[in-house]
Amino acid sequence: MTRKLAVGMDGRIDKLRVIGYHGEVDANETPGRQQPIFTDLQGRLVGIDQVEPSDKQATHVWVDVGAPAGEGPLSGVATRFREPLPAYLGYAVVVVGKMERAHARALRTLQNRAESAHVTAFLHWLEHPEQPAPEGILVQRVDEVIAWYCGFSDAYVLYERIGLFAEKEMIRAACRKDESALCEMSWWRSRVALTPEDDYFAAVGLERSDRPMVEAYLKAVFYKETRDSVEAGLEHARRQFAALCAAEEGQSSATVWHGEPLKMKDTVGAPVLRALRHVREQQIVRKAA
Amino acid sequence: MALKAGGPRKHAARKAASGGASKKVAKGQPTAAARARAREIAERMPFVHFPASKRLEEWKDWGAFKSRTHLGAQLAGTDPFDDLRASNVFAYAGPCCFAATGHHGDAAAYLHADADRRIDGEASPFDSGALEGDDARLQPWAQQAKAVRWKFLQQHVHPFSSWRQKFERWLLHCYTDPGRYLESSADKYAAGVPDKTRPPELLEHNGDNGRKLYGEKYCADRRAWTWEARFKDPVPFEEIRLLHVPKRRLRVASMVQRAQLLDTGRAPEIRTLPAIEAPPLALYLRSQEVLEELIKP
């Protein structure tokens, strides 16, 4: 059967709960954005079919009511919470793990134009996840990962923060020639890519640390682009990467990771490098806006 | 033939500009473009399977995509729909409509279009699952006895040897623009809605029309006009043309791809969802663009 449920002004969906999410997310594959699994108060699986705004600014959803979810593990590839969460319209589950927990403080204190009180509160809690979560932060621990049930805009801000931090760490790893750290940060960067430029930057890091995977990465992500277009995007990212490395090292000439110097025409001075970094950060902030 | 204003010379110029085409398309008949598009879709449509009971890296434990009976289960023989469900590998010849209540998973597999030449099976122009069980949705048959629903399904079963010709004719009957069959928009009751169906009740009693008619009772969504393929034999993994996975699963998918290449000499392609999009709904929403890519020559 189908049912029409009311949605409160805060987005809460009446008589619906979140009992888990689709898929299983490994602790070293985070963050992962996963669709929540809903039940009604009778424990029956529910799918949201349609959102119906009314002329009085109240909103309803039409839901499809299915079979009971039962107790124990959910059928298929799915993850069950220990306790259900209230259901909200426009929310999804963000699953965080090893990387986010290790860098929670740095992510929280990162200077970033796009702010979110929820993201800050979540990251603050993530530094000490053994504590109860603050009010308004809906979380569930699942083995080695933590699921945060949050709105789309909060997920976007978190992804953007991780992306900025991961890029800085990629540059630092490249400068100290730490291939393992560069690989880890590049994959982390890829998992939060919000724009093609983000993906190209991650690919440049993988080029220098996980080369066998680069071709697969570019084919999987940029399958709609021509080879020339992909090469152009990659080349632009290579130049940005090299310039940021040079700025990090405080050098007046940039060198490529594997020791070959760039051609003289590619050499830029420190003021220009600072400007390049500022431009890149502005691009990210504009896209977030 | 009456000439348009402008005289014989201008008429000849117009005729030349149109490539010499002087035949008008009779009202209600498909255009040449529609025929070409229907043929292209029918000939090249792949199948999409949603193996939601095992993680991607564990699929190899099966050896192939298999039904429950392929894995050793016995048929109960009491409900033909249950037996159908147990003895076939199900796929859609259309958008990945598996993102439904109760289907839990986050990876889809697109099979080669010519898998139906190597593996025995059949197809129907709607989801057979919408006719089964106490929560049957395909109206108005959902309200009728199981035997009537089964008979209706049997009237619309086409063996793999002939299903693509039927599919092509069906596309031309149901759509003035057959490309709309591939639509995978968020409102699954309105996605890809045809201009007409055969029988007409499929459209009149399901989708948006069905929601208006039946209120809180069930009716079918776009699965009332999405072709379902049922493979009677196991589907070997070399039939996978493309894996559609979340971004975070790219490394695992790549390992699966390499293993497949070593085992069979044939490796699937990989496509990832954008990082911020959540499966499995995103797998459905993006399936239109995946299909359009796989169908184009």
Side-chain angles (χ1 to χ4, degrees), chain B residues 24-72:
Chain B
K24 284 185 181 177
V25 176
K27 191 176 177 181
Q29 291 299 309
T31 62
R35 288 187 189 280
R37 185 65 170 140
R39 185 171 314 120
E40 183 179 71
I41 292 173
E43 285 178 359
R44 302 177 63 81
M45 174 65 73
F47 305 96
V48 58
H49 181 57
F50 187 63
S53 59
K54 264 193 192 294
R55 300 188 65 180
L56 172 62
E57 57 268 50
E58 294 166 350
W59 293 0
K60 64 182 184 304
D61 295 343
W62 289 321
F65 294 128
K66 294 177 179 173
S67 69
R68 275 182 277 144
T69 54
H70 299 149
L71 292 167

Side-chain angles (χ1 to χ4, degrees), chain B residues 130-143:
Chain B
L131 283 168
E132 68 176 88
D134 296 332
D135 58 348
R137 292 148 194 264
L138 197 67
Q139 300 288 5
W141 298 274
Q143 303 168 73

Side-chain angles (χ1 to χ4, degrees), chain A residues 4 18 30 39 45 53 70 81 104-105 122 124 156 165 167 178 188 201 211 225 227 234 251:
Chain A
K4 188 173 172 179
V18 176
T30 55
T39 62
L45 291 166
F81 293 154
R105 180 176 164 78
F122 170 69
H124 195 99
Y156 193 98
F165 179 76
E167 285 192 0
D178 186 343
W188 197 26
F201 201 87
R211 200 167 189 91
E225 303 297 324
R227 199 166 182 86
L234 207 50
Q251 291 174 4

Side-chain angles (χ1 to χ4, degrees), chain A residues 1 33 35 64-65 75 223, chain B residues 52 104 137 218 276 281 289:
Chain A
M1 74 199 81
R33 189 140 187 274
Q35 199 177 328
D64 176 301
V65 181
S75 65
Y223 55 91
Chain B
H104 303 140
R137 292 148 194 264
Y218 282 130
I276 199 72
L281 179 61
E289 64 184 50

Side-chain angles (χ1 to χ4, degrees), chain A residues 39-184:
Chain A
T39 62
D40 60 10
L41 297 180
Q42 288 76 43
R44 295 174 296 191
L45 291 166
V46 165
I48 295 179
D49 273 347
Q50 186 190 17
V51 178
E52 186 185 279
S54 82
D55 55 6
K56 293 181 183 174
Q57 297 187 336
T59 303
H60 291 88
V61 293
W62 281 94
V63 300
D64 176 301
V65 181
E71 301 296 325
L74 291 164
S75 65
V77 184
T79 302
R80 187 165 201 148
F81 293 154
R82 286 177 203 162
E83 291 166 7
L85 298 171
Y88 285 83
L89 194 61
Y91 274 39
V93 177
V94 174
V95 182
V96 299
K98 186 184 78 166
M99 294 291 278
E100 293 79 27
R101 291 178 69 165
H103 302 288
R105 180 176 164 78
L107 289 171
R108 179 173 63 83
T109 56
L110 191 69
Q111 292 304 306
N112 175 321
R113 290 280 180 89
E115 293 292 339
S116 159
H118 288 145
V119 170
T120 301
F122 170 69
L123 289 170
H124 195 99
W125 172 80
L126 195 60
E127 293 176 50
H128 302 283
E130 68 281 0
Q131 304 284 334
E135 183 149 350
I137 300 298
L138 303 172
V139 291
Q140 283 285 300
R141 287 181 198 76
V142 182
D143 298 329
E144 293 176 21
V145 300
I146 289 169
W148 179 31
Y149 184 51
C150 65
F152 180 82
S153 57
D154 290 331
Y156 193 98
V157 169
L158 178 64
Y159 272 45
E160 188 198 53
R161 281 203 194 194
I162 294 172
L164 272 176
F165 179 76
E167 285 192 0
K168 288 181 195 294
E169 291 300 305
M170 283 170 68
I171 299 300
R172 288 190 189 127
C175 289
R176 64 176 188 270
K177 298 177 174 44
D178 186 343
E179 194 172 300
S180 172
L182 177 58
C183 181
E184 193 172 38

